[in-house]
Amino acid sequence: MSASAQDFRPDIEGLRAVAVAGVVAYHFSLAALPGGFVGVDIFFVISGYLITRHLVAEISQTGRLDLLRFYARRARRLLPAALFVIAATLAAGALILSPEEQALYSKGAMFASAYMINLWLIRWSFDYFANDATSNPFIHYWSLSVEEQFYLAWPALLMLAAWMKPGKRAIIVAIGVVGLVSFILCAWLTSVSQPWAFYFSPLRAWEFAAGGLASMVPARLLQKRPLLGRALSLAGLAMIGTAYLTFSEDAPFPGFLALLPVAGTVLLLKAGAAGARDGTPYSPNSGQNWVNAALALSPLQWTGRLSYSIYLWHWPVIVYAGMLAPELTPIERLYCLALTLALSALTYHLIENPIRRNGWLMANAARALVPALLLTGTGVAAAYGNARLAVRDLDPQQRVIAASAAEPSTARARAGCVQDYETVTPAPCVFGDGRRVIALFGDSHADHWSTPLIEAGRKNGYRVVTWLKNSCRASRISVWSAELKRPYAECDRWREQAIAGIIAAKPALVVISELALTSGRKMAGRDGDTARQDAEWRAGLRSTLTSLSKAGLKVAFIRDVPFNNANVDTCVARALWRDEAPSRCDQTRAYAANDAMAAVERDIVDSIPNAAYVDLTDRFCSATVCHAFIDGKLAFRDQHHLATPFAESLEPEVEKRVISKVGR
């Protein structure tokens, strides 16, 4: 029996199947596994376990590491399939995506080819108006980038530890220290700046370190205690199952929560190692441990073998399918799964496995590394070239759509005037030099009115002072921040200071607008406790308006704009790219306009002295339809923010219906 056959662990292959099944089920919405995304963390632990075991064995036997040989194996194993899927995804995108999307996502492909897309995504995550991540067909490469960066740094750490003090103890201490520091920083940043904790490889190193430490624990400690081994495997499976069933994307992850799937994976790995007696791993007929025997079953072994290719293919398949048919049925999702499995099997048998086991490439490290570097460079160059070609000689209509979506509002164009999530002290911005003041107060849905309001104010001798903060309604309602993964306490503190500041400034008029509560629910994809939320919102809106009214201030409350089920800029651009009418992106008024909530909102505003309700919905919607493209202009830059050129065209309406409230 070969060394590789002796080292093979069916339980690990089955664990890979569990990991990729969780990820696919989560992304395909095929099962109630809201925490399926932690399958990636299982992969991290497995990688740390296997790589550390291999490297430590080599150090123990030879006193050194053949790094070229190590990297050649990694290149043969990972690079060809990854670059093939990137190329295929780019080719499919040329038929499905608009030119601007092709250019944007080609940049993602460029970073993915170089295994650095995780760093690109950190920047992406802090852009309030960045394209929806779920539309990025390369976003799943972030975990592969983290893993490759681990492969670059880990051997050096182990060699340094062994050089400083020969023996495994120094290596264990080094892994432990790195893992502990990484975890502490990860847990802290999860609550402070979650994108860094999620995507930055040094802050995920503790998961690899957990696997590495597990590989250093002698299996014989459990081999003589089979009952303990069975208990640990059951506990590990229960931990992973609990994470799959109870975690959600709104949870503050990774942080402390990631300990659950990481610990569960460690327990399963150790229980599986303990089952290997005289070099024979668990099998379904061993009669020793049913969890590990189940992991060795043929369907899980087949899925585990294909897990890498499945992971590569599943995301572009479901992303592109969702673009072609936005409301995928369960049957259509199953078709997507079948396509993913078919593509994965072909990739495994025609590319991944043949290159991985090619005798000529295996004979010499340089034979693998030189083509690997050339392939990587080719992938980066091809993605960059595709990004440039996609927008070369761009159709004028496409340029108008792109420019409209990219143009910031008047307030947002000035740095710091729409404050970020972490800020708690208001920093009002002044526009114009009129003697009298209009205050604009609210979230980004107040901000997108800044362009027509500032111009209307200028024409009528008013200066506009803005009090704006991302995702922070003027209504006194405490919310959960999906961006921060925690209660948005900064908003509550900022709002109270803003209200006090506006009252102290004594403007002639306060203009308020904010994201409608029902639109927020559509964005979240769920309703939650609507009765409680509605009551809190009604009380919060009334409280804010009452505070301003009692201070003797006049208030104009602008009804929120319609909500769209997709980013309007990309929808219209794709429609034009396919020679379709922009009207295909229109929404039914019943879905988009939030009429029922607006009626409640109007009643509250009308009940407050000095407050007036301003409804501009007739500029967007007929009795039955709300439009995406109006008077030759893109109406929205995304799902629910006005495109600035269209907002400019509303200046006469704002002057007529809002400025007039000052003299009421």
Side-chain angles (χ1 to χ4, degrees), residues 440-472:
L440 178 61
F441 176 35
D443 56 15
S444 59
H445 281 231
D447 162 54
H448 62 201
W449 291 109
S450 67
T451 299
L453 181 64
I454 289 168
E455 178 59 21
R458 183 190 64 78
K459 288 182 177 180
N460 289 272
Y462 292 94
R463 67 180 184 273
V464 175
V465 181
T466 61
W467 306 72
L468 303 168
K469 180 175 172 65
N470 283 334
S471 301
C472 188

Side-chain angles (χ1 to χ4, degrees), residues 153-177:
W154 205 245
L157 171 69
L158 301 189
M159 275 300 295
L160 178 62
W163 174 76
M164 292 179 67
K165 189 173 182 179
K168 292 185 178 181
R169 181 173 297 179
I171 293 176
I172 292 173
V173 170
I175 294 174
V177 170

Side-chain angles (χ1 to χ4, degrees), residues 251-557:
F253 194 86
F256 287 99
L257 288 179
L259 284 171
L260 191 65
V262 167
T265 306
V266 166
L267 293 182
L268 283 170
L269 288 171
K270 290 316 301 177
R277 297 181 178 179
D278 300 324
T280 304
Y282 281 113
S283 69
N285 301 316
S286 66
Q288 296 177 41
N289 186 314
W290 72 266
V291 172
N292 289 280
L295 291 173
L297 291 173
S298 296
L300 290 180
Q301 294 297 294
W302 182 84
T303 305
R305 280 194 299 275
L306 268 60
S307 60
Y308 179 56
S309 290
I310 291 172
Y311 184 81
L312 291 174
W313 277 114
H314 85 283
W315 186 242
V317 166
I318 196 64
V319 165
Y320 284 158
M323 291 177 179
L324 296 172
E327 301 296 332
L328 290 172
T329 67
I331 294 298
E332 289 170 335
R333 292 179 185 277
L334 287 174
Y335 288 152
C336 290
L337 177 61
L339 176 60
T340 297
L341 295 178
L343 291 171
S344 301
L346 288 172
T347 303
Y348 176 79
H349 289 294
L350 299 180
I351 297 175
E352 182 184 341
N353 214 36
I355 295 177
R356 177 187 179 187
R357 303 192 181 283
N358 182 276
W360 186 83
L361 293 173
M362 293 172 66
N364 185 292
R367 292 183 183 179
L369 288 175
V370 171
L373 291 173
L374 291 174
L375 273 176
T376 299
T378 301
V380 171
Y384 177 79
N386 195 65
R388 298 295 298 271
L389 288 173
V391 291
R392 184 179 180 182
D393 299 325
L394 195 61
D395 181 89
Q397 282 187 302
Q398 293 286 349
R399 291 190 185 278
V400 170
I401 298 300
S404 297
E407 185 176 342
S409 68
T410 302
R412 193 173 289 274
R414 186 183 296 181
C417 290
V418 182
Q419 295 182 272
D420 59 26
Y421 293 99
E422 290 82 7
T423 300
V424 297
T425 302
C429 291
V430 180
F431 296 86
D433 54 7
R435 289 194 306 163
R436 304 182 72 191
V437 174
I438 294 175
L440 178 61
F441 176 35
D443 56 15
S444 59
H445 281 231
D447 162 54
H448 62 201
W449 291 109
S450 67
T451 299
L453 181 64
I454 289 168
E455 178 59 21
R458 183 190 64 78
K459 288 182 177 180
N460 289 272
Y462 292 94
R463 67 180 184 273
V464 175
V465 181
T466 61
W467 306 72
L468 303 168
K469 180 175 172 65
N470 283 334
S471 301
C472 188
R473 292 182 177 91
S475 297
R476 284 179 166 125
I477 176 171
S478 297
V479 297
W480 175 272
S481 171
E483 288 76 15
L484 299 175
K485 308 295 182 184
R486 57 177 171 78
Y488 196 7
E490 292 90 341
C491 173
D492 296 334
R493 295 166 60 190
W494 179 92
R495 183 193 300 116
E496 292 310 310
Q497 295 180 69
I499 291 173
I502 291 170
I503 290 173
K506 300 186 183 304
L509 178 69
V510 181
V511 178
I512 293 176
S513 193
E514 60 187 22
L515 176 70
L517 196 63
T518 45
S519 293
R521 289 173 185 154
K522 292 169 186 174
M523 290 169 62
R526 57 190 178 280
D527 290 338
D529 186 354
T530 56
R532 178 185 59 80
Q533 291 173 353
D534 287 350
E536 290 177 350
W537 164 73
R538 289 193 297 269
L541 174 58
R542 188 178 298 276
S543 175
T544 295
L545 295 176
T546 299
S547 293
L548 297 172
S549 177
K550 284 184 176 180
L553 301 180
K554 294 180 179 180
V555 179
F557 190 100

Side-chain angles (χ1 to χ4, degrees), residues 79-334:
L79 195 61
L83 290 175
F84 174 72
V85 174
I86 287 173
T89 303
L90 285 173
L95 303 175
I96 297 171
L97 301 171
S98 70
E100 283 289 334
E101 287 180 292
Q102 292 178 47
L104 173 64
Y105 298 138
S106 291
K107 293 177 184 176
M110 182 175 68
F111 284 99
S113 298
Y115 289 102
M116 293 191 297
I117 195 172
N118 59 320
L119 304 178
W120 187 61
L121 290 170
I122 291 173
R123 179 183 177 187
W124 176 300
S125 299
F126 288 107
D127 184 351
Y128 185 80
F129 283 113
N131 287 46
D132 187 356
T134 58
S135 299
N136 184 339
F138 301 101
I139 193 172
H140 63 312
Y141 275 78
W142 76 268
S143 63
L144 303 181
S145 298
V146 168
E147 199 156 326
E148 283 298 316
Q149 290 158 24
F150 160 75
Y151 294 146
L152 286 175
W154 205 245
L157 171 69
L158 301 189
M159 275 300 295
L160 178 62
W163 174 76
M164 292 179 67
K165 189 173 182 179
K168 292 185 178 181
R169 181 173 297 179
I171 293 176
I172 292 173
V173 170
I175 294 174
V177 170
V178 168
L180 180 61
V181 172
S182 171
F183 174 73
I184 291 172
L185 292 174
C186 178
W188 171 63
L189 275 172
T190 296
S191 62
V192 174
S193 186
Q194 192 259 356
W196 279 98
F198 194 91
Y199 289 122
F200 194 42
S201 53
L203 303 183
R204 288 300 192 112
W206 69 272
E207 300 184 38
F208 297 94
L213 288 175
S215 74
M216 305 287 285
V217 178
R220 63 178 179 272
L221 296 178
L222 289 177
Q223 285 176 339
K224 297 179 180 179
R225 300 172 178 82
L227 289 178
L228 179 58
R230 292 169 192 161
L232 292 181
S233 64
L234 286 169
L237 187 63
M239 288 178 178
I240 291 173
T242 300
Y244 276 5
L245 294 170
T246 63
F247 287 8
S248 75
E249 61 185 12
D250 288 336
F253 194 86
F256 287 99
L257 288 179
L259 284 171
L260 191 65
V262 167
T265 306
V266 166
L267 293 182
L268 283 170
L269 288 171
K270 290 316 301 177
R277 297 181 178 179
D278 300 324
T280 304
Y282 281 113
S283 69
N285 301 316
S286 66
Q288 296 177 41
N289 186 314
W290 72 266
V291 172
N292 289 280
L295 291 173
L297 291 173
S298 296
L300 290 180
Q301 294 297 294
W302 182 84
T303 305
R305 280 194 299 275
L306 268 60
S307 60
Y308 179 56
S309 290
I310 291 172
Y311 184 81
L312 291 174
W313 277 114
H314 85 283
W315 186 242
V317 166
I318 196 64
V319 165
Y320 284 158
M323 291 177 179
L324 296 172
E327 301 296 332
L328 290 172
T329 67
I331 294 298
E332 289 170 335
R333 292 179 185 277
L334 287 174

